[in-house]
Amino acid sequence: MIADTLGRPLRNLRLSVTDRCNLRCQYCMPEEEYVWLPREDILSFEEIARLVDVFADLGVDKVRLTGGEPLLRKDLHRLVALLAANPRIHDLAMTTNGVLLAEHAPSLRAAGLHRVTVSLDTLRPERFKALTRRDTHARVLEGIEAVRRSGWPGLKIDTVVMRGVNGDELVELIEYGRKVGGEVRFIEYMDVGGATAWSMDQVVSRAEMLSELERRYGRIEPIVERSSAPADRFRLPDGASFGIISSTTSPFCRTCDRSRLTADGVWYLCLYATRGTDLREALRRGAGREELEGLIASPWRGRADRGAEERLGMAERRPLIQIGELKRDPHLEMHTRGG
Ligand code: SAM
């Protein structure tokens, strides 16, 4: 196991399998058209599995498939099967917008995917349409229902909370989570690359969410646990639990063991990092295992990133990256590096 300059282990790898998405969420992909990664640069499943194997040698035991929308990657179950066969990967998860989930859930589960997180920001079809600019809300709910029906454990529902958009749906979403057997996690709106319309006044803070929920449910207790998971978990008086990911107002950089590999093999040590390591180049020129290990171990040992904490310390906060710069370098986009 290797650790960075703050003692954080290399454990958690988020794998973006495509930069394409079938939604256009205001807070992530507000444009209709994007500069996409060149097709020939996209790593094959075998290349991804080879890199994951090197990462696993260095301590990674948690892998999350993401994107873009991971279910747009053809035959994703094949990659799942390759990764599930790696005995050192103890937790193999996927984050999806759920639109294509109903049709793919059985093959992904059979291939060995341990659990699924579905992003769902609203229970109201009209709001969904306004937020994502697509009319596929019913399909997302069908996807969640398919997971529930099959009894697939570990379902989570992730909701980005935005003032004036869905800030009034916290209670409804918790009740929905209860109904479908999924733990809801509320995410503070973040000023990541891609969120070009971000402003602090749209952020609903963790403190605000808790007081709103306490008004409805009564006293909420924090669940005390040792974990590097991004969500702080809480329990309602009736025993139901939920989480809050407060990256904007109360970042958790000090325990962050996450890094991100883009679909074209660039590795980032922080969601806010502007530079990454090109592992595809090394892989494709035939670099041996030792060289690949060095390319990963050495930047991780030198890692000092605390992106979200640094953002918090800024006097005046504006979107991280302006649209012109995002067009020049799509690697700066959240949808490229995987949320
Ligand atoms: N397409 C998949 C999905 O929708 O879950 C995976 C990729 S998406 C980039 C991963 C997560 O990042 C989603 O839960 C999304 O809501 C979240 N996300 C994107 N932009 C965000 C922002 N500005 N603030 C907070 N979360 C954001």
Side-chain angles (χ1 to χ4, degrees):
M1 172 88 75
I2 59 169
D4 72 4
T5 62
L6 298 174
R8 298 170 296 188
L10 172 68
R11 277 201 67 189
N12 212 312
L13 182 65
R14 302 180 74 105
L15 280 179
S16 173
V17 293
T18 178
D19 56 333
R20 308 269 169 161
C21 193
N22 45 1
L23 298 181
R24 285 292 177 276
C25 300
Q26 263 175 39
Y27 54 75
C28 187
M29 297 184 78
E31 312 293 312
E32 194 55 50
E33 271 311 312
Y34 282 89
V35 178
W36 305 110
L37 299 175
R39 230 162 243 284
E40 64 276 14
D41 287 355
I42 304 295
L43 298 183
S44 69
F45 290 159
E46 286 68 25
E47 287 174 322
I48 295 175
R50 169 132 193 263
L51 283 178
V52 168
D53 203 44
V54 179
F55 275 104
D57 263 355
L58 295 168
V60 165
D61 62 358
K62 296 173 112 190
V63 170
R64 177 173 292 275
L65 305 176
T66 178
E69 170 47 39
L71 294 178
L72 288 179
R73 182 81 189 248
K74 196 162 170 282
D75 296 331
L76 188 67
H77 61 92
R78 268 214 321 112
L79 175 64
V80 169
L82 288 174
L83 301 180
N86 189 328
R88 287 168 303 180
I89 305 302
H90 296 144
D91 184 27
L92 181 58
M94 175 181 71
T95 298
T96 171
N97 63 30
V99 175
L100 301 170
L101 185 57
E103 59 195 277
H104 293 291
S107 65
L108 292 169
R109 192 172 181 198
L113 187 67
H114 299 158
R115 56 196 184 89
V116 176
T117 300
V118 182
S119 302
L120 175 69
D121 299 322
T122 177
L123 292 168
R124 306 186 194 173
E126 284 314 309
R127 274 192 182 175
F128 181 91
K129 201 167 158 185
L131 183 66
T132 67
R133 284 173 293 154
R134 299 291 184 271
D135 200 2
T136 47
H137 188 249
R139 294 175 66 187
V140 179
L141 300 188
E142 278 163 29
I144 293 173
E145 183 54 26
V147 172
R148 186 200 66 77
R149 251 197 331 267
S150 72
W152 198 349
L155 172 69
K156 290 199 177 114
I157 303 204
D158 277 6
T159 301
V160 179
V161 182
M162 294 170 76
R163 194 181 312 287
V165 175
N166 61 350
D168 55 351
E169 282 191 67
L170 304 189
V171 169
E172 283 163 63
L173 282 156
I174 287 203
E175 293 307 315
Y176 173 75
R178 211 195 281 272
K179 202 174 85 189
V180 296
E183 185 170 281
V184 177
R185 304 190 308 171
F186 298 116
I187 307 175
E188 289 180 353
Y189 183 18
M190 293 167 67
D191 55 348
V192 285
T196 45
W198 183 92
S199 64
M200 194 66 208
D201 58 335
Q202 292 165 279
V203 176
V204 180
S205 69
R206 168 167 97 165
E208 225 180 314
M209 292 188 217
L210 285 174
S211 67
E212 152 102 23
L213 290 169
E214 284 203 318
R215 264 201 301 280
R216 165 68 168 75
Y217 291 108
R219 196 179 161 77
I220 292 174
E221 298 285 348
I223 298 177
V224 181
E225 55 195 349
R226 261 178 69 93
S227 152
S228 69
D232 290 326
R233 296 176 66 234
F234 299 89
R235 203 176 297 290
L236 300 175
D238 64 13
S241 59
F242 67 96
I244 300 184
I245 300 178
S246 52
S247 325
T248 304
T249 68
S250 175
F252 41 86
C253 300
R254 298 298 164 137
T255 57
C256 177
D257 57 8
R258 267 168 293 284
S259 65
R260 299 178 148 78
L261 186 69
T262 61
D264 64 345
V266 182
W267 184 49
Y268 288 93
L269 306 187
C270 175
L271 190 48
Y272 288 92
T274 47
R275 265 198 306 248
T277 305
D278 183 358
L279 297 178
R280 180 189 76 248
E281 184 278 324
L283 195 64
R284 291 196 175 164
R285 85 174 133 71
R289 197 166 188 97
E290 218 169 287
E291 184 183 347
L292 289 172
E293 281 193 8
L295 279 173
I296 295 167
S298 149
W300 189 268
R301 289 203 175 97
R303 178 182 186 246
D305 301 66
R306 295 182 303 109
E309 282 180 7
E310 278 161 14
R311 299 291 297 164
L312 189 63
M314 291 174 70
E316 206 186 313
R317 250 175 119 164
R318 278 196 298 262
L320 177 68
I321 298 161
Q322 307 305 316
I323 185 78
E325 215 181 321
L326 288 170
K327 286 210 156 102
R328 278 191 299 279
D329 185 359
H331 284 99
L332 297 171
E333 297 272 9
M334 172 83 151
H335 71 262
T336 305
R337 60 181 59 181

